[in-house]
């Protein structure tokens, strides 16, 4: 992350928050710090992401920052974890809303869900991932791991459920990142073909397993 010497002039240009005058709970203060991490990285880039810049934007002291986070890397990890929590929440809502047995309907709705993860990142600034392959790689691994673990808890007629979905999701998200305009239908067909359920879609009825 950025160091104080290199970021002094940039820090001076950052507008200070007025939250210092507010009485905030611990959770609210932590939230403001994470919001400041997002704002600074989005507006100035990761190279200027420093404790000084974040605390000025959040309107708090350095000691308060270190009360919640060991260092800036820990704060960035917390921002990424929140983005992952948001996606898992969407996945849970999708699972609760789908019709059991309607495979095509599930595919039609899950394809754009994965595209939204890559496009929006659940308030994760693109600068946190686009400028650092290591950051994005860690974020992607954690996303895929959490999603695969969530899916693996459900009964599915697939060998190596966790490994299968880890490979599928990792490949999908990497592909969508480099091909953001990929049609939802293509994403749907990739998922269906990988899981060998394309025979349950209207496009490939001849591939449906025979009892």
């Amino acid at each position: 992350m950025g160091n104080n010497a290199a970021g002094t002039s940039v820090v001076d240009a950052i507008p200070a928050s007025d939250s210092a005058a507010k009485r905030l709970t611990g959770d609210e203060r932590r939230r403001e710090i994470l919001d400041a991490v997002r704002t600074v990285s989005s507006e100035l880039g990761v190279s200027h992401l420093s404790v000084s810049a974040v605390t000025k934007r959040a309107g708090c002291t350095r000691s308060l920052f270190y009360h919640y986070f060991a260092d800036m890397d820990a704060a960035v990890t917390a921002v990424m974890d929140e983005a992952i929590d948001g996606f898992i929440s969407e996945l849970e809502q999708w699972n609760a809303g789908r019709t059991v047995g309607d495979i095509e309907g599930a595919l039609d709705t899950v394809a754009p869900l994965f595209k939204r993860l890559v496009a929006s990142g659940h308030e994760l600034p693109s600068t946190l991932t686009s400028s650092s392959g290591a950051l994005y790689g860690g974020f992607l691994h954690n996303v895929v791991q959490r999603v695969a673990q969530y899916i693996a808890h459900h009964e599915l007629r697939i060998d190596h459920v966790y490994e299968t979905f880890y490979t599928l999701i990792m490949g999908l998200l990497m592909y969508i990142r480099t091909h953001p305009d990929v049609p939802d239908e293509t994403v749907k067909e990739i998922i269906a073909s990988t899981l060998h359920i394309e025979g349950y879609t209207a496009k490939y009825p001849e591939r449906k397993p025979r009892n």
Side-chain angles (χ1 to χ4, degrees), residues 72-146:
M72 183 54 66
D73 287 341
V76 169
T77 297
V79 168
M80 291 187 171
D81 285 345
E82 285 197 348
I84 296 172
D85 288 343
F87 180 67
I88 294 298
S89 178
E90 275 203 49
L91 184 63
E92 291 173 341
Q93 292 176 28
W94 167 83
N95 186 54
R98 70 184 177 88
T99 301
V100 177
D102 182 8
I103 294 177
E104 182 141 39
L107 289 169
D108 284 337
T109 52
V110 81
L113 181 63
F114 279 104
K115 287 185 65 178
R116 282 203 305 276
L117 170 67
V118 180
S120 70
H122 282 275
E123 299 184 358
L124 184 69
S126 61
T127 50
L128 280 180
T129 55
S130 62
S131 61
S132 172
L135 276 176
Y136 189 74
F139 170 68
L140 196 60
H141 166 74
N142 290 335
V143 170
V144 174
Q145 187 177 53
R146 288 273 303 278

Side-chain angles (χ1 to χ4, degrees), residues 1-53:
M1 305 305 165
N3 56 55
N4 291 337
T8 301
S9 62
V10 176
V11 172
D12 290 340
I14 295 174
S17 170
D18 61 356
S19 63
K22 304 174 185 176
R23 298 182 66 87
L24 302 176
T25 65
D27 287 344
E28 290 171 337
R29 178 58 73 186
R30 184 178 185 276
R31 161 66 51 197
E32 288 215 335
I33 292 173
L34 292 181
D35 287 343
V37 172
R38 295 186 186 91
T39 301
V40 173
S41 61
S42 178
E43 295 179 352
L44 303 178
V46 175
S47 62
H48 296 299
L49 191 58
S50 66
V51 174
S52 296

Side-chain angles (χ1 to χ4, degrees), residues 160-211:
H160 310 293
V161 175
Y162 172 81
E163 293 80 359
T164 298
F165 276 93
Y166 186 100
T167 303
L168 169 62
I169 298 164
M170 178 67 80
L172 263 182
L173 297 185
M174 289 295 289
Y175 183 79
I176 293 171
R177 188 190 187 203
T178 55
H179 300 77
D181 296 327
V182 59
D184 290 352
E185 188 67 20
T186 300
V187 176
K188 169 186 171 181
E189 290 181 12
I190 291 172
I191 296 172
S193 297
T194 302
L195 300 179
H196 303 293
I197 56 175
E198 69 272 24
Y200 295 92
T201 66
K203 188 173 183 178
Y204 301 107
E206 72 279 3
R207 299 183 189 179
K208 184 175 183 179
R210 297 178 181 177
N211 297 328

